[in-house]
Amino acid sequence: MNFAHGEDNANVAWLEHNEITIKSLSTPKAHSFLTPEEKVPLGSLWKLFVYLYLADTHAKEAEYVCSTTPSEEDRYCCPPGSSVNRDRALAHSCAPYFDPNRLHISPKKWKKYWEEKTTIEWVNDIRHLTPETEVSLHDLLFVLSAIPTQARNEARDALLETSLELYGKNAWSELGSAIRYKTYSWHTHDGKAFGGAAGWLADGTPFWFGANGSSFTSLTKWSKALSLTLPTPSLLSTSTDNSCVDVSFFERYPLKAIYKEKTPIKVESGILKGNFRLEFENGNWLTITTQGEMRLRKNSDQHYTIYGRFGLNNYVARVIDREGNTTQTHAARALAVAARTYLVQNGNYQGGCWSISDSSHTQRVSATIPSQKGLEAAYFTDDLILRGAPIHYHMSTPALNQLSWRDAYAQAVSGWSFEKILKHSYPNAAIATMNGRMECVPLKAAESWLAENSQKWQSTLNREGGYEPLESIPTICQLSDGNPYSDQKRLRIYVRGWQSLNDRLTLVHEYLHLVFRYHPNGVNETYIENLARKLTGVTP
């Protein structure tokens, strides 16, 4: 088994057009020494296959209840005495939930189910659902590619929490939220830690990633290289864009006539597919290209109206193309989140679809096929919105909770990330998912406390070598599990609380890691702790 060869090695593999590509992340632009026949451990991936079986067979299993005297495995599942459902169990990698014996999964039915999906043999035997089972990259990727679309989309929805809040939380700002994966941590034959993830890109392309270390550390370390190495998904007709948006076009500009290849259309209604030239009553003309997603209807006043139905990300990409542009990637991503949020806050939702007009009073929407870069920005921020404030944007005028596209563009040029642009434009809002989960639950009172007290510490800190003040107070997020830490790239602090003296000491400790991040003192835990105690008045 050579999958972890070397002390600092990482590899990624994917299946595209029935061909497997394997790349080494530690040797940029080089093919990996791994082959499709190389065997890798399943680790926690076995839980994903049980989940997919349950989802595709429409199982109605009971939730898993954690014991009041929890086992080691229960700590991944739920607090003592509480329960966990299927989606959360997958995101948190709760092994007891997916135990085939608990779920009463018949080995015979299991085998029959998978034989109907794939010719890969190892997945047919339920006894192979163990973390130590090793399977070839070829078999793993082809099984992932055989998953029915609906079951895969259910797994994708569940795994969003993994990338935003759990083991991938330090990686998602590089990878985006459209890539969904189940993490795994295991070990090599010589006992060294080995971990990574496997799942699907936005268009359903299956992939596997593995590196030395745990899933959390490997994703954190290799996320940038992973984002640059994975293929660009085919996004125009992807099956992962489940939500839909109905758009009424040109409401303020009546259409006089529609031409296809210089011939005026004279039908009452119908689907538009191809290239069309639109003539408006005010004398203006517009050429559009559609793939059947636009429909024409003649009104009682004999004027035409054009309607479109799009997937949500397709819609967001069209807004980016119309309201902004894609020259600066991070500005486009920020606009994608703002546009999606505006739709959720102001559109009408009925029967599984949003509806909104194409108008300067709402959002302007491109009537032609969205650009690839627009789609990439939309899918990079898949399912993400802002919560906590009414969201607006304008071409050139900034205001509270109103993004200025001109300013966002300039900020992106100067190196700002889309998260920083959003925080600047919407200081009262936080990134959340469409289903209501927040990527960061902000502790605003803690931020106020830190802002007030950091001013008092300036004279002391200015005397310390390596101190570099921040432009603004870092975002402070509520930590749900694990140890407090500071995210130096995104200038965030994750803590459990701030009201007790010990909590405040921890908060100041992590703050100091940020303001000394470019100096050796920033990684000197003894120095940081002693200075934190000095600032907070806690006697060592």
Side-chain angles (χ1 to χ4, degrees):
M1 180 173 61
N2 297 316
F3 56 80
H5 178 73
E7 291 297 319
D8 191 28
N9 190 52
N11 296 277
V12 62
W14 62 87
L15 174 65
E16 200 172 28
H17 308 303
N18 285 326
E19 292 188 4
I20 294 175
T21 301
I22 307 176
K23 294 278 191 178
S24 169
L25 300 182
S26 41
T27 308
K29 298 183 180 180
H31 283 283
S32 169
F33 58 84
L34 295 183
T35 68
E37 288 69 41
E38 188 76 35
K39 294 202 172 211
V40 295
L42 275 183
S44 295
L45 297 180
W46 69 266
K47 302 163 195 172
L48 176 59
F49 297 107
V50 178
Y51 178 98
L52 294 166
Y53 171 84
L54 295 172
D56 201 34
T57 59
H58 307 290
K60 303 294 182 183
E61 77 278 10
E63 293 187 350
Y64 176 75
V65 179
C66 289
S67 171
T68 53
T69 56
S71 65
E72 177 67 15
E73 288 287 358
D74 273 7
R75 71 188 181 94
Y76 295 101
C77 302
C78 47
S82 64
S83 62
V84 63
N85 63 21
R86 185 195 300 170
D87 285 359
R88 194 165 179 82
L90 182 65
H92 286 251
S93 203
C94 172
Y97 188 101
F98 296 105
D99 182 351
N101 292 324
R102 184 189 89 86
L103 298 168
H104 307 292
I105 298 178
S106 161
K108 184 176 180 180
K109 289 183 178 179
W110 175 272
K111 182 177 181 180
K112 183 177 185 297
Y113 171 82
W114 287 105
E115 283 181 338
E116 293 174 351
K117 301 292 182 291
T118 177
T119 59
I120 304 300
E121 293 186 0
W122 69 264
V123 75
N124 297 339
D125 191 340
I126 203 168
R127 293 173 299 177
H128 289 159
L129 297 182
T130 63
E132 63 269 19
T133 295
E134 292 181 5
V135 301
S136 71
L137 283 174
H138 171 279
D139 287 359
L140 179 60
L141 292 172
F142 269 90
V143 171
L144 287 173
S145 72
I147 304 303
T149 299
Q150 184 57 42
R152 185 184 71 216
N153 285 344
E154 287 186 39
R156 284 177 53 84
D157 289 344
L159 292 169
L160 178 59
E161 183 181 357
T162 299
S163 59
L164 289 185
E165 302 176 54
L166 300 171
Y167 310 105
K169 61 187 176 185
N170 283 355
W172 85 264
S173 60
E174 293 287 355
L175 297 175
S177 54
I179 179 173
R180 306 290 170 85
Y181 49 79
K182 173 73 186 75
T183 56
Y184 67 90
S185 295
W186 198 237
H187 51 74
T188 60
H189 288 170
D190 58 3
K192 293 180 180 178
F194 183 79
W200 304 273
L201 306 185
D203 62 352
T205 297
F207 79 97
W208 171 91
F209 157 69
N212 298 99
S214 68
S215 60
F216 178 80
T217 58
S218 62
L219 280 166
T220 299
K221 179 176 182 177
W222 295 103
S223 59
K224 179 68 173 180
L226 194 57
S227 69
L228 295 174
T229 306
L230 285 166
T232 300
S234 176
L235 298 174
L236 194 56
S237 59
T238 176
S239 61
T240 62
D241 205 352
N242 294 323
S243 300
C244 57
V245 185
D246 290 331
V247 179
S248 175
F249 281 92
F250 317 121
E251 283 205 343
R252 300 179 63 199
Y253 303 97
L255 281 164
K256 180 179 180 181
I258 301 176
Y259 295 80
K260 185 173 185 180
E261 297 178 356
K262 299 183 179 181
T263 302
I265 291 176
K266 297 182 179 180
V267 298
E268 297 294 320
S269 64
I271 293 174
L272 298 177
K273 190 171 184 179
N275 299 317
F276 297 87
R277 191 179 186 200
L278 312 181
E279 181 184 1
F280 296 90
E281 289 283 1
N282 62 9
N284 290 335
W285 294 79
L286 177 68
T287 299
I288 65 172
T289 301
T290 83
Q291 294 182 320
E293 70 276 23
M294 311 279 275
R295 180 175 289 275
L296 180 69
R297 183 186 304 165
K298 181 175 280 189
N299 303 323
S300 57
D301 61 1
Q302 299 304 302
H303 285 108
Y304 283 111
T305 301
I306 293 178
Y307 297 90
R309 169 165 287 191
F310 315 107
L312 178 54
N313 285 322
N314 189 294
Y315 166 82
V316 170
R318 289 168 181 265
V319 174
I320 295 170
D321 288 342
R322 186 71 177 87
E323 296 276 27
N325 61 61
T326 59
T327 308
Q328 287 298 318
T329 298
H330 283 277
R333 291 173 182 174
L335 182 56
V337 176
R340 188 180 293 108
T341 308
Y342 185 90
L343 172 69
V344 170
Q345 291 184 349
N346 298 280
N348 296 315
Y349 186 74
Q350 188 174 7
C353 264
W354 302 93
S355 61
I356 195 169
S357 298
D358 159 45
S359 168
S360 57
H361 292 308
T362 54
Q363 293 189 131
R364 296 179 300 172
V365 187
S366 173
T368 198
I369 296 171
S371 67
Q372 174 66 20
K373 291 294 185 180
L375 287 166
E376 288 175 10
Y379 274 94
F380 188 93
T381 62
D382 184 38
D383 205 37
L384 299 184
I385 59 173
L386 294 165
R387 292 193 184 278
I391 300 304
H392 300 279
Y393 58 87
H394 190 271
M395 178 57 67
S396 59
T397 305
L400 179 63
N401 297 319
Q402 178 169 292
L403 177 146
S404 158
W405 171 252
R406 182 183 62 190
D407 289 355
Y409 187 93
Q411 289 159 356
V413 170
S414 67
W416 285 27
S417 71
F418 76 98
E419 289 182 281
K420 187 175 181 180
I421 294 171
L422 290 172
K423 181 182 178 183
H424 176 81
S425 300
Y426 309 108
N428 299 325
I431 291 178
T433 63
M434 296 276 287
N435 66 8
R437 299 191 63 84
M438 298 187 74
E439 181 266 335
C440 166
V441 179
L443 295 174
K444 291 296 184 182
E447 291 178 12
S448 298
W449 180 86
L450 184 60
E452 179 182 349
N453 284 275
S454 62
Q455 293 298 316
K456 302 175 184 177
W457 303 330
Q458 291 305 304
S459 59
T460 300
L461 291 173
N462 284 331
R463 293 193 294 270
E464 299 292 326
Y467 169 65
E468 294 191 27
L470 304 176
E471 293 180 1
S472 60
I473 291 299
T475 299
I476 302 175
C477 305
Q478 177 76 58
L479 185 67
S480 58
D481 55 58
N483 297 319
Y485 70 97
S486 55
D487 184 336
Q488 297 188 9
K489 179 179 179 182
R490 299 157 78 188
L491 296 181
R492 288 184 174 183
I493 297 174
Y494 289 80
V495 292
R496 295 191 182 282
W498 66 278
Q499 293 181 316
S500 73
L501 185 58
N502 190 58
D503 285 341
R504 292 182 182 186
L505 177 62
T506 300
L507 174 57
V508 176
H509 182 108
E510 299 305 332
Y511 170 72
L512 292 176
H513 275 304
L514 295 181
V515 297
F516 288 95
R517 65 193 184 281
Y518 298 124
H519 191 272
N521 284 338
V523 293
N524 185 332
E525 287 296 333
T526 301
Y527 171 84
I528 292 292
E529 180 65 13
N530 288 339
L531 183 55
R533 288 179 177 276
K534 179 180 179 180
L535 295 176
T536 54
V538 176
T539 304

